[in-house]
Amino acid sequence: MAELANVINMAWYICIYSLMAVPLTLSYRTSKVLNFAHGIYATVGAYMPVLISKGLKMSVPFIPVIFVSFAFGATLAVITHVLVFSPLIKRRSTPVTLMIASMGAWIFIKYMFYAVLGVLQKTWLTPLFYVSPDIDVPSTLSLVGIEVNAKFLFTLALTAIVFALLAFFLMKTKTGMAVRAIADNLELAQISGISREKILMVTWAISGGLAAIGGLAWSLFAYVSPETGDSVILQVFACSVIGGLVSLPLTFIGSIIISFTENVLIVFLHSYLGIEYSFRPFLSFFVLVMTILIRPPAGAGGGLPYRYLPKVKAMCKSIFRMR
């Protein structure tokens, strides 16, 4: 039973990490902004069912809250783009400047959200930090005669539907094809008449909305706090880096790798080497660093073999010349 619980936990984390990491990769590939504010979109999405249920003093239906979370996450991401990233992109700022700006946006939004929660907590006289949302979902569902956690099944279904819709949007719609064109070849896309600014707005809305749905999935799994997004941002970045910050399918595979590392590999290491479970973040960080060293994201100049191959060739040539 313990092994089955670990596998189920791994499936939970695959859903949560992929819902947060795939939109991070999508936004980077399109805008070239490594957005550290991404985690706060997930936090806002996780808090939507909490705020609605506490404010209205009622259980929140699951399907409507999906759209509410998406809408708030998308709006926040678009506002961040309009106020922070768009002016810097028009000034041709470097990727490093954009990344630092995203850090500033992350801190600003996070503490603004803390302030809003503090005011609401005093007004509603109810705790809003480290709480679980009251979502109208049954505790279990019968599947082939077996009682299964309904929240787990809902999360699996939500993840499958979200990625099916995203794939349809990117592959079959005109706007989705424009997003891919901007991501693949910006100059050629602009020559073809595609507006980069409009496509960036659409991309940021999708990225923020999907990250918020990832936060909603987290709220079904565990308690919610203003640090929810930050608590998983390292793992989310690791998933995206495994995908090279360009490939959505590889980013999903990255979420499988990180989830396996944190839920199955750590159990193996604990059982046979005595490594504590608290080393889970260390394993994610280790995978992140090794990925950057061996297969760094696009634009980082190639992996270790490619970096040192020219030096090895030059050394061999000098040796043969000496002979």
Side-chain angles (χ1 to χ4, degrees), residues 150 185 302:
N185 192 323

Side-chain angles (χ1 to χ4, degrees), residues 43-61 65 68-69 113 117 120-121 124 126-135 215-216 218-220 222-226 228:
T43 302
V44 170
Y47 257 98
M48 282 303 108
V50 173
L51 296 178
I52 295 173
S53 60
K54 297 288 185 183
L56 300 179
K57 300 185 186 309
M58 57 176 281
S59 296
V60 182
V65 82
V68 173
S69 293
F113 193 62
L117 289 178
L120 292 177
Q121 184 169 261
W124 293 347
T126 183
L128 291 177
F129 297 89
Y130 301 97
V131 293
S132 294
D134 185 8
I135 302 177
L216 174 64
W218 175 270
S219 73
L220 294 173
Y223 65 83
V224 173
S225 82
T228 293

Side-chain angles (χ1 to χ4, degrees), residues 32-154:
K32 300 298 180 285
V33 177
L34 192 57
N35 187 19
F36 277 80
H38 192 76
I40 199 66
Y41 308 150
T43 302
V44 170
Y47 257 98
M48 282 303 108
V50 173
L51 296 178
I52 295 173
S53 60
K54 297 288 185 183
L56 300 179
K57 300 185 186 309
M58 57 176 281
S59 296
V60 182
F62 182 62
I63 294 178
V65 82
I66 296 173
F67 293 99
V68 173
S69 293
F70 182 91
F72 272 84
T75 304
L76 190 57
V78 169
I79 290 173
T80 308
H81 169 68
V82 171
L83 297 181
V84 180
F85 300 140
S86 182
L88 292 173
I89 290 173
K90 289 176 182 174
R91 295 174 193 167
R92 301 181 182 275
S93 299
T94 64
V96 173
T97 302
L98 290 168
M99 184 181 70
I100 294 172
S102 78
M103 291 179 179
W106 162 42
I107 298 297
F108 178 81
I109 297 171
K110 177 179 174 179
Y111 284 98
M112 284 295 291
F113 193 62
Y114 259 108
V116 170
L117 289 178
V119 171
L120 292 177
Q121 184 169 261
K122 290 180 180 177
T123 305
W124 293 347
L125 300 177
T126 183
L128 291 177
F129 297 89
Y130 301 97
V131 293
S132 294
D134 185 8
I135 302 177
D136 189 13
V137 173
S139 59
T140 59
L141 287 176
S142 179
L143 187 66
V144 198
I146 302 173
E147 295 294 321
V148 183
N149 187 324
K151 291 182 178 179
F152 174 63
L153 291 179
F154 278 38

Side-chain angles (χ1 to χ4, degrees), residues 152-163:
F152 174 63
L153 291 179
F154 278 38
T155 303
L156 288 179
L158 177 64
T159 305
I161 291 171
V162 163
F163 286 131

